[in-house]
Structures are given as structure tokens and as C-alpha cells.
Amino acid sequence: MSITIRSPKNFWTGVLYVGFGGAAWWLARDYSMGLASRMGPGYFPTMLSALLVLFGVLAMWRGLRTPGQAFGAFAWKPVLRIVAATAAFAWLLPRAGFVVALAVLILGSASASTRFSADPKALSLAAALIAFCVLVFVKGLGLPLPLLGEWFGG
């Protein structure tokens, strides 16, 4: 019996999910799990990695059973923009602060899309996302992130 991959895109996406999920589980294996009512540090990453592996297996199964698309050309330019925006966020966070670093991350990542334009609607949505992140992470969870970094006297 030979195995035929009918949808390479789904199958290899599933392989990536299983790989990333397995790696996350491997990294979290030494953390204590705890219980659902009292979660330990390993509970969330273990459950998330298990879900990722499950989705990966389902995608691989779908790739074997359902006809689908083959891979197209790899889009290097958008990937590099997203990686650059993420690196800029990490570099800017202590220097310019959470608000500026988030703005660079959001707008830099969004610019990877061919449908992105810096119109008032997109900028107001970015501002709303920044405000939401400040409320959740800094105010709600109390993470020690500087709103304004050393460049702005923060």
C-alpha cells in the first residue's frame, strides 16, 4: 500500500504543526503541570502544544484524504517584513517603550500584506490594539513593561 499525498499544502503544514507542537512539549516537559483548577507553569504550554499536535495530525490526515493545492512560490518579502518587525519590537521595547514598540510591530507586520494601507481606519485600529495591550498586559496583568522607554525619559 502506497501513501499518496493529495494535498501537499495541508500535509506539510500539518508536519510543521506537529514539529512545533512536539518541540514546545519537549521544552515544557520539566515544568510542573498542576491541575486545571490550580495550573502549574507547565500546564498552558503542554495543553497548547497538545492542541497544536492534534491540529497538525488533522491537517496531515486531510492532506492524505482530500485533494488540494500544491505549494506555490515562497513569499520571502512578507516573511522578512514580519521577522524584521518582531526583531524591531524586541530591540525597541527597552529603548522606546511598549507603546512605540507595539506600533512598529503592528504596522510593520501589517505592511507585509498586499492589502494594507496606512489609512485612518487602519491607524485607528492599530491605536485601539495598542490601548488594549496596555490595559491587558501592563494594567491588568501588571507586567513590568515601560510604557515609554529611556529615549522618552521613561
Side-chain angles (χ1 to χ4, degrees), residues 84-95 101 105:
T86 305
F89 173 82
W91 188 79
L92 284 170
L93 186 60
R95 294 164 181 83
L105 175 67

Side-chain angles (χ1 to χ4, degrees), residues 11 31-32 36 38 48 56 63 87 91 99 103 114 122 137 146 151-152:
F11 181 80
Y31 298 142
S32 63
R38 185 145 172 88
L48 196 60
W91 188 79
V99 173
T114 57
F137 295 110
W151 288 351
F152 301 106

Side-chain angles (χ1 to χ4, degrees), residues 8-139:
K9 197 173 198 178
N10 283 335
F11 181 80
W12 292 110
T13 299
V15 169
L16 280 175
Y17 285 178
V18 168
F20 284 126
W25 174 82
W26 180 259
L27 291 171
R29 74 189 187 289
D30 292 333
Y31 298 142
S32 63
M33 281 289 290
L35 303 169
S37 61
R38 185 145 172 88
M39 297 177 197
Y43 190 88
F44 184 73
T46 302
M47 291 298 134
L48 196 60
S49 64
L51 279 173
L52 196 55
V53 168
L54 174 67
F55 289 143
V57 168
L58 291 174
M60 289 169 60
W61 178 257
R62 185 176 177 190
L64 295 173
R65 304 290 295 169
T66 309
Q69 297 176 339
F71 281 106
F74 191 77
W76 284 105
K77 190 174 179 180
V79 169
L80 292 175
R81 282 190 181 191
I82 292 170
V83 169
T86 305
F89 173 82
W91 188 79
L92 284 170
L93 186 60
R95 294 164 181 83
F98 192 52
V99 173
V100 174
L102 269 176
V104 169
L105 175 67
I106 292 166
L107 296 174
S109 297
S111 72
S113 172
T114 57
R115 296 182 296 177
F116 174 75
S117 66
D119 60 358
K121 181 180 175 184
L123 296 176
S124 63
L125 287 172
L129 182 58
I130 292 168
F132 176 77
C133 289
V134 167
L135 288 173
V136 169
F137 295 110
V138 177
K139 303 298 181 191

